[in-house]
Amino acid sequence: MKPAVTFINVSRYFGSVKAVNEVDLAIQEGEFFAMLGPSGSGKTTCLRLIAGFERPTGGEIKILDEPIQDIPPYRRNVNTVFQDYALFPHLSVAENVAYALMIRKVDKKQRLQQAEEALEMVRLGGYGDRRPSQLSGGQRQRVALARALIGKPAVLLLDEPLGALDLKLREEMQEELKQLQRALGITFVFVTHDQSEALSMADRIAVFNEGEIAQIGTPQDIYHRPETEFVANFVGSSNVLPAALVRQMSGRTGIASLRPESIRVVAEGGHTAIVTAKSFLGSATRLSLDLYGAGFNALVDNSFGSVEIGAPIQIDWDDADMHLIEGA
Amino acid sequence: MRSDHEIRAPMALKIAAACGLLFMHVPILLIFVYAFTTEDKTFQWPPPGYTLKWFAVAWNRPDVWSALQLSLKVASISTIVAMVLGTLCAAAVSRSKFFGREAISLLVILPIALPGIITGIALRSAFNIADIPFSVWTIVLGHATFCVVVVYNNAVARFRRLSGSLVEASMDLGANGFQTFRHVVLPNIATSLMAGGMLAFALSFDEVIVTTLTAGQQATLPIWMLEELVRPRQRPVTNVVAMIVVLVTFLPILAAYYLTRDGDQVAGQGK
Amino acid sequence: MNNSANDRRGAVISAGFGLAGQISDVFWRKPVILLLLMLTPPLLWLGVVYIGSLLALLAQSFFSIDEFSGLINYHLTLKTYGELLNPANLDIILRTVLMAAIVTLASVIVAFPVAFYAARYARGRWKALFYLGVMLPLWSSYLVKIYAWKLILAKEGILNWFFELTHLKWLLDAYLAIPLIGGNSLSVSYTGTFLVFLYVWLPFMVLPMQAALERVPANFLEASSDLGATPWQTFRNVLLPLALPGVIAGSIFTFSLTLGDYIIPQIIGSSRLFIGQAVYSHQGTAGNIPLAAAFTVVPVVIMGFYLWMAKRKGAFDAL
């Protein structure tokens, strides 16, 4: 099966700034692929390279194995849902959605009918006559989605699509997007800085840092087996065990990452740590600990909330949860 | 703490403001009155009588008509040229970053920033050197030079408010550059363009400072009026023409205002 | 919306679009071409012709005119600039600068209440009315405005009639008897010229002032009075400094426009010349382009200096 999107040694430099630096990537057809990273890490630039709004300084970009770096965006079978939705203010919702068809010279009756079908697919049936300015943020986002999908693109790109929505709406949309993607089978590539979003929606994630990909893998891979300190810290919060401690405990070289929820409070036989702070999070309690001079966070059951600050407690964890980051 | 003086203006201020406004408007309104006077040799006040006959006289004066025609012709051509050039320039300056962008913004504003007489004699000597005879076209060239500014200002302000992602979205959905311009860019800048065009028309229609230096034997309406001011023939006819000029330029200004008033820059403020 | 594999297209759509598409492709691949295409026509005209003729004019000021033959002597010299220092010419320059200064000062005083009221107190419909109330005179015909004052200042016109009606004719006569600013009648006196200049340029002063005043947040004034300042103190210490950039911006207009004008003094005023008239007459039948050019440099230099001072005070934010 041809990969939907391929990056071969792709770079995009802006003068001396290396926004994207020699990135290799292969996104499979039908995947829900996430590009995750902090701002300025290059993930948005990569998305724009796929769409055609930027041209690579070096390397090759292919869609369905066809090289496209010299092809303008309007000739690429790729559509984008923009962060600010970019709905045309002078057109109605239906005309917005039907835009791609209008450009392809589909006749008016037919394209408006298809637009209505597309709107129904995103649960906005009947909204065709309204103007974008009359819609809420969540509704506009759905219109943008319908508009991008109506042309049946090979790849759908989404640029931080849920950023402007409030929490409840965001979680709703995450579910809907996932269902939509499964139903349509179209390759989705979406960019986000929210790691929990990436973890919950994506089939695979590429973690970006300073223009390069730090790690690509499934959400489980990324979370439990981070390959660099950056990934360990960026994806979920993590404790990074310094090399000395790791060598002391297991004799191996390198640092290790340990998720706070892997730490258990035990009655005896564990490591002695001093409680330096505690926070009640609702579903759990976070304890800040001092373990052999290193700062640790542990996520424990609320029953341990009565622990005193400054008091010692015994903690332990499974060796399997301590993931070694070799030569980080 | 006198909280009332935040909501209500002090009476002195109101009176001063009203006087200022009146000062700006009354003189022109006086012309309207004079257009109906029966006295034709002097500017006697109060007018000895009222009549409509001067309108008929003005209507029958061939020099008034030819001056009016020329003014309309020049204004139309200058406006079209200014709209094309001004929009091109505004699009380039506001959409891309390039070396010398600031310099170009300054350059475009220069014709209006410098006193008219400098623009006038500079162009005049340029035409002399290039051996171009003075004609309608030299007038048009002079007018187009500063009409570009008016269109440019309006267009730049509008382009800046046009979200860049709209153009990208259009291209993303399959529209090439030309289709994007036609379906997305043009509809969104249309009102600003029209406003700029109307102001350019009014500016050209009224222009006299540069025109006297770039015209040959041709007389636009302002040149005709200048002649009348210096060597009056029939004063009431001049009054009638003056009144008509005010009314004619009133309309495009009003239209331009309504077209752009929900934008953040009202058309005409960049004069 | 189904997505059967047969109606999903390939990665690239190469067909369609025609010539427009091909040109678009070129623009996308080499955006510089589009930029050049968009900028060349306007720049060619403005940059080459306009700037070129301005520079040619400047160059002319360094030539001189042969007094006997009346032909231009194309040797570089400062003699023409020297001529500017003749008493007659200096007179012209001083007269113009003085008038520009007085007009500017008067504009500030008259415009301020209008701008202030419009910025701080006008709401809703009134605000729109004020905008139009300033826009319309701004864009009204320049000549018509001058003509209006010719009517008003005429011996038989409304102003004289008003003075006679209120039995204040003696006041007017006494004023006209004052040397320098008086004259035979208002329409041939400097006062007349001053009034017309003030009238014509006033809207140019109101707009920047209003823009600057609108930018002063209302709570600055409230804070000032909250801290115990009288309205006058608030005005002097808070409002005035913040409005100053607008005042300066407006003064740039009134000063510059007065310096270069040649029509208003010709129609309303004494026969003594202003800079604009001097330029006009020298470049006319006399053909003394070098002197005309030298005269035009004067307002440019003055304004250049003025603008430089204004930039330091941040006036350009109000434009």
Side-chain angles (χ1 to χ4, degrees), chain B residues 29-59:
Chain B
L29 293 176
L30 281 178
I31 296 186
F32 284 35
V33 177
Y34 272 100
F36 297 97
T37 179
T38 49
E39 168 69 36
D40 73 332
K41 292 277 183 294
T42 67
F43 294 127
Q44 186 188 3
W45 182 273
Y50 296 99
T51 167
L52 285 176
K53 76 170 181 201
W54 300 113
F55 287 87
V57 176
W59 185 270

Side-chain angles (χ1 to χ4, degrees), chain B residues 108-132:
Chain B
V108 181
I109 293 186
L110 214 53
I112 265 194
L114 287 178
I117 188 163
I118 297 185
T119 303
I121 64 174
L123 287 177
R124 188 181 179 83
S125 39
F127 291 143
N128 273 329
I129 293 176
D131 234 354
I132 304 178

Side-chain angles (χ1 to χ4, degrees), chain B residues 1-2 5-10 13-14 16-17 20-21 23-25 27-28 30-31 34 42-46 85 88-89 91-92 96 98 104 107-108 110-111 113-115 117-119 121-126 141 145 150 174 176-179 199 203 206 208-209 212-213 222 225-226 229-230 235 238-239 242 245-246 249-250 253-254 257 266-269 271, chain C residues 17 20-21 23-24 27 35 37-39 41-43 45-47 49-51 53-54 56-57 60 110 113-114 116-117 121 128 130-152 154 156-158 161 195 198-199 202-204 206-207 222 225-226 231 253 256 260-263 266-267 276 279-280 283 292 296 299-300:
Chain B
M1 223 62 50
R2 293 197 319 207
H5 93 84
E6 271 113 71
I7 331 165
R8 306 193 64 68
L13 179 67
K14 271 201 209 161
L21 266 190
F23 178 66
M24 287 198 278
H25 286 267
I28 294 200
L30 281 178
I31 296 186
Y34 272 100
T42 67
F43 294 127
Q44 186 188 3
W45 182 273
L85 293 184
L88 283 180
C89 222
S96 4
F98 53 88
I104 292 189
L107 182 64
V108 181
L110 214 53
L114 287 178
I117 188 163
I118 297 185
T119 303
I121 64 174
L123 287 177
R124 188 181 179 83
S125 39
L141 282 176
T145 306
V150 177
N176 66 34
F178 294 97
Q179 291 167 317
L199 292 173
L203 197 63
D206 175 46
V208 69
I209 296 183
T212 48
L213 293 160
M225 199 174 290
L226 187 59
L229 276 173
V230 171
R235 288 168 204 251
T238 320
N239 297 336
V245 165
V246 171
T249 44
F250 177 83
I253 306 303
L254 208 60
Y257 172 74
V266 176
Q269 279 184 311
K271 185 176 188 187
Chain C
F17 295 118
I23 299 179
S24 269
F27 287 156
L35 198 64
L37 226 59
M38 286 205 288
L39 283 179
L43 280 190
W45 175 247
L46 281 174
V49 179
Y50 184 62
I51 298 276
S53 53
L54 284 179
L57 193 66
Q60 299 258 34
V110 177
V114 183
F116 189 57
Y117 188 89
Y121 294 105
F130 261 91
Y131 255 134
L132 283 176
V134 179
M135 277 305 176
L136 290 175
L138 178 73
W139 287 89
S140 279
S141 165
Y142 166 78
L143 273 184
V144 168
K145 287 192 251 191
I146 302 176
Y147 184 65
W149 278 89
K150 205 166 162 72
L151 296 178
I152 295 176
E156 66 279 12
I158 189 174
W161 167 82
L195 281 172
L198 176 65
Y199 175 66
L202 196 57
F204 290 94
V206 174
L207 281 179
E222 286 167 11
S225 67
D226 188 66
F253 282 121
S256 154
D261 195 277
Y262 66 91
I263 293 188
Q266 181 188 359
I267 300 179
V279 173
Y280 190 79
Q283 66 84 41
T296 58
V300 174

